[in-house]
Amino acid sequence: GLQLSAVESGLIEDGANRFLVVEGDVTNITRSKATVPLIEVAVKDAAGATLYTWTTEPPRASLEPAELIRFRARLASPPEKGQSVRVRFTSNATAANIASMR
């Protein structure tokens, strides 16, 4: 019932620090209120292998029908070999499992 769109990513340099910023839209495409899960961002290398994954909280916990919100995720010191990002929704249980593996 939720759709990710207009996803953009870019590197920002702030003095000696480097940040990967990922932004995009979340839209409720249903006719009822929808809960917005955590958003998972994965940095991938040129071969498509995942180098780093993290989750970010959505700006709001729920959306009304046809409502759109913009999310923003930021990662300090992203992997040097990162070439692309993958963004998807994830559950709290998945995020807890990922955190426990680190």
Side-chain angles (χ1 to χ4, degrees):
L2 297 172
Q3 181 179 47
L4 287 163
S5 61
V7 176
E8 301 172 342
S9 64
L11 292 172
I12 296 176
E13 306 232 358
D14 180 14
N17 300 316
R18 241 174 99 224
F19 299 94
L20 171 64
V21 177
V22 180
E23 296 180 309
D25 294 334
V26 177
T27 307
N28 179 356
I29 57 174
T30 70
R31 293 183 180 184
S32 58
K33 189 173 186 175
T35 300
V36 182
L38 292 172
I39 298 168
E40 179 185 274
V41 183
V43 179
K44 298 189 168 270
D45 67 12
T50 300
L51 300 173
Y52 188 82
T53 303
W54 82 99
T55 57
T56 188
E57 294 274 340
R60 298 232 326 268
S62 64
L63 293 176
E64 295 298 326
E67 188 175 10
L68 177 146
I69 56 170
R70 186 106 176 131
F71 75 89
R72 179 180 169 111
R74 191 171 105 153
L75 175 65
S77 303
E80 290 289 331
K81 294 185 181 197
Q83 294 293 311
S84 64
V85 294
R86 181 199 67 218
V87 179
R88 66 181 185 169
F89 296 112
T90 189
S91 69
N92 288 330
T94 302
N97 289 339
I98 289 170
S100 68
M101 290 189 287
R102 290 190 182 149

